[in-house]
Amino acid sequence: MVARERLLLVSLLYIVTHGKENVPLIIAHRGASGYRPEHTLASYELAIEMEADYIEADVVSTSDHVLVCRHSRYPLEEVTDVENRTEFASRTRTQLIGGVNYTGWFVEDFTLAELRTLRTEENWPFRNKAFDGLYQIPTLREMILLLKAKEVEKNRTIGIYIETKDPSYFQSIGLPLEPPLLSLLNEFDLNTETSKTFLQSFELNFVNLTSEINVPIIQLLEHPNTDPLAAYLITDDGLDFIASYAQGIGPYKSIIHGPIAVAPDLVSRAHERDLQVHPFTFRRESIFFGNFSSFEAELLYWMQIIQVDGVFTDNPDVARHVASSLIPRPDIPKKIKSMDMSMVMAFAVMGIMMVTTFTFVLSSRLKKK
């Protein structure tokens, strides 16, 4: 069976057996970070142009307690030009992180004014470096203002998906992330039941704040092989616990599929508890999509076969294209749920035969012309 026919068969099998009506959310991971330096206003703006449903913002704090958009508080030298700034040469320090000594520059050692002097850089060596040195580090406030302006321009609501990075560490140094975050959300009416807002964290910092949070909480999950908390949270008891305070999970995709998968049934068990599932991270480079034939094939598999509710991706344009191919999804399944799998296969194969025959006849006629 050729690749095109195989793809058609997968699609037909999905429609017949599932018929899911909702198209998965496209979450722009650090903006359109496959095309612009991550967490820049340019990256966010491009993601909006690519029709992402949500734009992700990771937040950390400056030394003067302003929330800025960075994937991590370190290594600042991998995503900015700080190592070339002689005025900040003395800011390097060594800190024990995860049992390893790291030496470099940390966001929390800079004021906002100082960070403003830095310029962002592409951190992946195989991606486009043409935009290095052009953009500043944005504050969360600036990101929100951009989204609000774009909503007016595009006449559509643009979602924001905020992650608190290392919240317990920032709490320990007197720079808690949650108070300024909730203050900003309340200021811009982004903390209401109708807001298009998600909050996410790898830690449990939102558990005791549910009375102050009116938007969905997503519990992020690292791979259990390296994270004892995740090892518990992917169990049935752990998922029950998550369901007591959150509305979804954001698992590392390798937990579910691939050579180091440990919980291939995680999506179905999460759905049994009415938890959404938004795995990370989907990238178009071949080193990231494993044994799939293409990035599109990987996305199609997760959207149609595994049936996730959203995907974090560096390439929202490709994800949008694949998600759009899932429409329409007819309501056939409700009428045929009692059918056995042999009948389902029969319908699917009949469909493939019809498509293949039509293609063959059409190509034959074109050749005769």
Side-chain angles (χ1 to χ4, degrees), residues 177-197:
L177 303 178
E178 297 82 7
L181 170 58
L182 292 176
S183 177
L184 272 174
L185 293 182
N186 290 329
E187 177 184 344
F188 287 98
D189 294 324
L190 293 173
N191 188 25
T192 69
E193 293 182 357
T194 58
S195 301
K196 199 171 178 181
T197 306

Side-chain angles (χ1 to χ4, degrees), residues 347-366:
F347 275 113
V349 172
M350 286 172 59
I352 286 294
M353 291 174 63
M354 291 173 62
V355 171
T356 304
T357 301
F358 174 78
T359 303
F360 174 76
V361 171
L362 181 61
S363 61
S364 298
R365 289 183 177 180
L366 289 175

Side-chain angles (χ1 to χ4, degrees), residues 172-243:
S172 72
I173 62 172
L175 297 171
L177 303 178
E178 297 82 7
L181 170 58
L182 292 176
S183 177
L184 272 174
L185 293 182
N186 290 329
E187 177 184 344
F188 287 98
D189 294 324
L190 293 173
N191 188 25
T192 69
E193 293 182 357
T194 58
S195 301
K196 199 171 178 181
T197 306
F198 280 101
L199 295 180
Q200 56 174 334
S201 182
F202 283 103
E203 298 186 30
L204 302 176
N205 52 309
F206 292 133
V207 173
N208 296 321
L209 294 174
T210 53
S211 62
E212 301 177 48
I213 297 173
N214 302 307
V215 296
I217 296 170
I218 301 296
Q219 181 63 55
L220 296 174
L221 300 170
E222 262 295 357
H223 200 284
N225 290 354
T226 59
D227 185 0
L229 175 60
Y232 164 69
L233 291 176
I234 67 170
T235 66
D236 286 342
D237 287 345
L239 289 174
D240 289 340
F241 173 59
I242 292 174

